[in-house]
Amino acid sequence: MTTSQVTRPPAGDPPAVVALTVRQLETIRAPRRGLRRGKAGPRRLGARAVTALALLAALCAVAVAGAIGVRSDTAGLRDAVTQRAAVAGQLRFALADLDAQRADTLAPGRSATDAQVEVGNQLIALITAQQRRAEISDLLRQLAADRSQSVRVRDLLDGLGRYDDLSGRAAYVDEQQPDRTAGHPPPRAVAMNVQAGQIMHDQLLPEATELSAGYEAKAAQLESAAHSAALCWALVIGVVGLLTLGFLLWWQWELATDYRRLFNLALVAATAAALLVTLVGTLALTSSADAVTAAGREGLRPWSRLAEARATAAQAAASESRWFVHDAAYGVADQRQFDGLVKQLDGLLSPDGYATAAERAAYEDVLTRYRHFLADDKRLRSLKSRGRTDEAAVVLTNVGRGDVAFDFWDFATTLDVLAGRQLDDFDTHARAAHDDLAAWPQIPAGALGAAGLLVLLAVRARFAEYR
């Protein structure tokens, strides 16, 4: 037996197999896209945060700028109508009515059948003329604040001075003959009254009409500009808001995928703030645009039409009064002018296309009083054509139902009330367009400023994981 013996297994037996269990090492999955490898993760996270802050800042900027711009436009529209166009419209009426009252002062006098009887009412015409003259001075003072119209206002003042001089001299000459008969003022007084009327119709009223038309045209332009601006800013806010919301939602999904978390609550809150500003801003600006449209449709245009009618009616009354005291040659021109003005009034006072169902009754009331005035005019002309001048002077200047002075005052006052209601409708809608954005500059600034802080808070915890 050798020193080393090998024990062999018995023949025919299979070799023993030793079972070894190999344990596979567990692999640890890193977050996707290698966010935890090197510096790529923090840089990308920072870039996302900067992009979110930039979009929120852009949304805040357009929201604030849009609100300020539209509020400025609507405020300018209100001022253009209530502080300028309305004043110019009132000036036109006051000038024309002053002319009518100055002519009316020449109509009364002594009765042709009894020299002891005074026919007509001169006192009412004198008082009304004095009131109109003071009103004109105040209206011109208000319009003088607009430096762009200073030349035109100065021309009006100059023309008004010449008108006052001629009409005052006509009144003085008339006063020198206190015993003259009604409807027959001194020829010299009539001549100076004619010259004053020419200044009124050739210079003062055209200047006032151009001034009023210019302000109304400017108001229409401002209305269109305010409406377009509101819709434009609403579109811009909507587009920027959608971009911001899209990025924040996509970033929320990316963070949930990369960091195995379902939600980032701070980012959810920032997204909600952006959604609030986008929705509320778009709706508020759209509502403001609708209010501006309503202000023009339901207020500005009907008021402009009625203001034109009021000035035209006063011019018609002035033509009627001058016809009464002028001789036949001038009377024909006065009659022709009156007929033309009445034709204009028939169209201006028609409620078709302007009056709502609720306003139609008010328009019909104005038309009824207008027909009373026309009926008085027919009666006046009929009496004078038959030589009944005393009765005609009473119809022209007395203040009772069936008299021109009273029924014109009644018609003009009712028309002024209706025009005032339309102007109030304009102001209500224009104020609503302005007030729809009353707290709007503060809302986006506060909400989106908080959203920016929330974005920083959202990435703070993620950056902490890289330390």
Side-chain angles (χ1 to χ4, degrees):
M1 186 173 182
T2 62
T3 58
S4 70
Q5 295 180 350
V6 179
T7 306
R8 300 175 181 269
D13 291 340
V17 178
V18 179
L20 295 177
T21 301
V22 180
R23 186 176 181 180
Q24 186 177 3
L25 294 177
E26 182 179 2
T27 60
I28 301 176
R29 295 177 61 192
R32 294 178 61 185
R33 301 188 185 94
L35 290 180
R36 295 178 185 269
R37 298 172 185 170
K39 298 181 179 179
R43 279 199 298 265
R44 191 167 67 175
L45 192 61
R48 299 289 191 270
V50 169
T51 302
L53 292 174
L55 287 171
L56 289 172
L59 179 58
C60 181
V62 297
V64 171
I68 293 175
V70 172
R71 281 172 61 84
S72 177
D73 290 342
T74 54
L77 174 61
R78 287 182 62 204
D79 288 344
V81 174
T82 60
Q83 303 298 323
R84 295 288 181 262
V87 175
Q90 184 66 26
L91 176 64
R92 287 183 63 195
F93 171 79
L95 285 169
D97 196 47
L98 172 66
D99 198 35
Q101 300 304 324
R102 291 277 172 85
D104 279 349
T105 60
L106 301 178
R110 298 291 180 180
S111 172
T113 58
D114 187 351
Q116 302 301 316
V117 177
E118 185 74 20
V119 175
N121 192 330
Q122 189 183 54
L123 182 61
I124 295 297
L126 288 170
I127 292 175
T128 306
Q130 185 178 13
Q131 291 174 342
R132 291 288 178 251
R133 186 60 185 84
E135 183 180 355
I136 290 168
S137 296
D138 182 62
L139 293 170
L140 287 173
R141 180 187 58 78
Q142 295 180 51
L143 293 174
D146 182 6
R147 295 185 178 180
S148 65
Q149 298 295 337
S150 59
V151 174
R152 181 161 286 161
V153 171
R154 187 165 57 249
D155 290 343
L156 281 167
L157 287 169
D158 292 342
L160 190 60
R162 288 186 287 115
Y163 174 85
D164 287 339
D165 177 61
L166 285 168
S167 59
R169 288 162 61 190
Y172 174 77
V173 170
D174 184 51
E175 290 171 358
Q176 302 311 302
Q177 297 185 19
D179 296 331
R180 60 144 180 108
T181 57
H184 298 284
R188 190 172 168 215
V190 172
M192 285 187 287
N193 187 261
V194 169
Q195 294 176 45
Q198 289 173 343
I199 292 174
M200 178 63 72
H201 290 91
D202 295 343
Q203 178 183 353
L204 294 177
L205 285 175
E207 286 278 357
T209 300
E210 290 181 13
L211 189 64
S212 179
Y215 281 129
E216 289 177 16
K218 182 179 179 181
Q221 292 174 357
L222 289 173
E223 176 202 340
S224 177
H227 178 266
S228 299
L231 291 181
C232 181
W233 281 113
L235 179 62
V236 172
I237 289 177
V239 170
V240 176
L242 288 176
L243 290 175
T244 304
L245 290 170
F247 178 81
L248 291 175
L249 290 173
W250 173 80
W251 191 23
Q252 180 75 255
W253 170 82
E254 184 183 63
L255 290 175
T257 302
D258 290 343
Y259 292 93
R260 300 294 191 268
R261 289 172 176 82
L262 187 58
F263 290 114
N264 186 311
L265 295 181
L267 197 57
V268 169
T271 305
L275 177 62
L276 173 68
V277 170
T278 302
L279 288 178
V280 176
T282 303
L283 291 175
L285 286 166
T286 303
S287 175
S288 182
D290 292 341
V292 168
T293 300
R297 183 182 63 249
E298 301 176 16
L300 178 58
R301 282 182 282 281
W303 168 81
S304 178
R305 187 183 179 97
L306 293 175
E308 176 73 19
R310 191 164 179 254
T312 303
Q315 288 180 253
S319 297
E320 181 186 52
S321 299
R322 290 194 184 284
W323 167 85
F324 185 78
V325 299
H326 288 173
D327 57 26
Y330 287 112
V332 172
D334 292 328
Q335 177 70 61
R336 187 165 53 248
Q337 185 182 54
F338 179 85
D339 293 339
L341 292 168
V342 166
K343 187 175 181 180
Q344 291 181 38
L345 276 173
D346 291 339
L348 290 170
L349 294 175
S350 174
D352 297 336
Y354 284 88
T356 63
E359 295 169 344
R360 187 165 288 272
Y363 275 82
E364 291 297 333
D365 184 40
V366 168
L367 285 171
T368 298
R369 298 169 195 270
Y370 171 57
R371 295 184 189 105
H372 290 163
F373 167 66
L374 294 181
D376 295 344
D377 175 75
K378 290 182 179 179
R379 182 183 171 207
L380 172 71
R381 296 177 191 275
S382 175
L383 288 171
K384 190 176 181 183
S385 67
R386 289 181 286 163
R388 299 165 65 176
T389 308
D390 287 359
E391 294 177 59
V394 170
V395 170
L396 178 65
T397 60
N398 274 19
V399 285
R401 181 65 69 186
D403 297 326
V404 171
F406 176 83
D407 284 333
F408 177 76
W409 170 84
D410 187 37
F411 159 57
T413 301
T414 307
L415 179 58
D416 185 42
V417 170
L418 180 57
R421 286 170 54 183
Q422 299 288 19
L423 190 61
D424 288 342
D425 288 343
F426 163 82
D427 191 59
T428 298
H429 290 298
R431 188 185 298 274
H434 187 269
D435 292 347
D436 281 342
L437 302 167
W440 190 238
Q442 293 79 17
I443 291 175
L448 296 177
L453 294 176
L454 289 170
V455 167
L456 297 177
L457 183 63
V459 297
R460 179 174 178 272
R462 302 289 77 80
F463 275 123
E465 297 180 10
Y466 292 94
R467 296 172 184 170

